[in-house]
Amino acid sequence: MRVEGAVGLVDGYIHPDDLERVQSECQRGLSNGAPFEIERRARGKDGGYRWFLFRHKPLLDKEGRVARWFVTATDIEERKQEEEGIRKENIALREEIVKASMFEEIVGASPALQAVLTLVAKVAPTDSTVLITGETGTGKELIARAIHKRSTRSARAFVSVNCAAVPPALIPSELFGHEKGAFTGATQRRLGRFELAEGGTIFLDEIGELSAETQVALLRVLQEHEFERVGGNRSITANVRVIVATNRDLEAAMTAGTFRSDLYYRLNVFPIEMPPLRERREDIALLVEYFIDRFARKAGKKIRRVSKKTLELLQSYPWPGNIRELQNVIERSVIVCEGEDFSVDESWLSRRQVPNDLQGQIELSQILAAHEKEAIETALSESGGRVFGPSGAAAKLGIPRSTLESKIRSLKIDKNRFKIADPSN
């Protein structure tokens, strides 16, 4: 006996998406012999579906057995529409909260920063290893935290380790832990950072400072997902996402023999390069406002205005120490500020010149960028503005499409001006 037939209903009147669920719930309800309810969509004479609440009540005979079933239906379409509207609002609200909180301490709207945040949003849901490069003070740890925050591991720990701040002899113990008696002073077993980050994310800053021995141990974690405590002989499984950062040129370190090439390629799965503040001048005004508000509230002060001269001074300075240096200057200025007008002592910046080696790097970077832009524009011109495909610019340059798209954005190239008009139009 079909379930729907038993309750006086026909499969053709049930929404296809509800059919399997309704049949299962009807079978269960009928077998229990007790009243039950089912919410489902029913097709009307106009061919459209509406939500109804069907109440099933058994009629018992003299012996207490089910003789027949009575079914009543109540239209609940309006209630269901309200519930769906609330559900969609909640989804939209959660998305807005994620967008707002994901980058809560990453301030700026410049194209260079937005390109980085786009990459963060794409890689965060994966478990891929991320290599963040960039000068000191550009906010690499904030990017690592943003990746963790939007990942499936966000409910677990985010453990940060500055590899340059730990003596080389102690870094294996710091990362992987040690057993009691492993070395002088090891009076008890100690869990390493990888164990503390189990199920979550570990962020290794200044990865270029690791010793050759520790590089081998880290490579094992990445390849085999296991490690041993210092002085131990038992393998420990590591379920940890690894994000690393450095301000060093790891490719140069490989050439010099101070950094393992196999480790580099394991780490460089998804590279993200943080732009220096001098390439994000559009963000300086926002950062100044953000830091003033942050430090003024902490100091119990009310600062309402920033002079145009001060803002121009801050925007014209090259900031070799990047955002960290800007933050320190703003904090110092807030401390000495006595009124509601914010200003910076010009002498604090005028004596600070960009180091010759950094200036050389800036000039070389500008030269290389100009050559790179010229090569990309030539390839786009030859391909009629097409980026991908056998005859596209990416194929001509021998680089992945995603890499070329990223470079087009960072170099502010208008690829549309290379497109050839369709002669048939």
Side-chain angles (χ1 to χ4, degrees), residues 53 56 60 75 78 129 172 213 241 325 330 385:
L53 171 64
H56 301 70
L60 305 180
D75 190 319
E78 186 174 339
T129 302
E213 177 188 358
R241 185 191 194 158
E325 183 184 7
I330 299 300

Side-chain angles (χ1 to χ4, degrees), residues 141-260:
E141 183 169 346
L142 288 179
I143 292 298
R145 289 184 180 276
I147 292 171
H148 170 73
K149 197 166 187 177
R150 197 167 181 180
S151 74
T152 56
R153 299 173 177 266
S154 59
R156 306 302 292 271
F158 176 90
V159 176
S160 176
V161 183
N162 187 327
C163 300
V166 182
L170 296 180
I171 193 70
S173 171
E174 182 73 16
L175 295 179
F176 309 115
H178 63 250
E179 298 290 351
K180 181 179 179 180
F183 51 83
T184 303
T187 57
Q188 59 184 6
R189 172 187 287 177
R190 181 178 185 273
L191 299 183
R193 297 302 184 93
F194 270 91
E195 286 179 88
L196 296 176
E198 177 65 19
T201 302
I202 189 166
F203 173 59
L204 304 178
D205 199 5
E206 305 296 350
I207 192 71
E209 305 300 323
L210 289 182
S211 66
E213 177 188 358
T214 308
Q215 288 180 37
V216 173
L218 178 58
L219 180 62
R220 181 187 176 193
V221 173
L222 295 172
Q223 289 180 331
E224 303 173 21
H225 304 288
E226 62 180 27
F227 61 91
E228 293 176 3
R229 297 192 190 104
V230 176
N233 54 17
R234 181 174 67 88
S235 293
I236 300 171
T237 302
N239 174 23
V240 179
R241 185 191 194 158
V242 179
I243 302 177
V244 302
T246 183
N247 61 0
R248 293 182 57 186
D249 185 344
L250 293 185
E251 293 187 8
M254 283 193 298
T255 303
T258 59
F259 200 85
R260 296 179 63 98

Side-chain angles (χ1 to χ4, degrees), residues 5-20:
V7 293
L9 302 174
V10 181
D11 288 356
Y13 289 96
I14 302 175
H15 194 287
D17 292 346
D18 298 340
L19 183 58
E20 185 176 346

Side-chain angles (χ1 to χ4, degrees), residues 112-126:
L113 180 61
Q114 291 306 309
V116 169
L117 299 186
T118 298
L119 293 176
V120 168
K122 288 180 178 179
V123 76
T126 74

Side-chain angles (χ1 to χ4, degrees), residues 370-396:
H371 284 301
E372 192 172 44
K373 184 175 183 180
E374 182 180 355
I376 291 173
E377 289 181 339
T378 299
L380 285 170
S381 178
E382 293 175 353
S383 63
R386 185 184 296 275
V387 174
F388 58 95
S391 60
K396 290 181 180 293

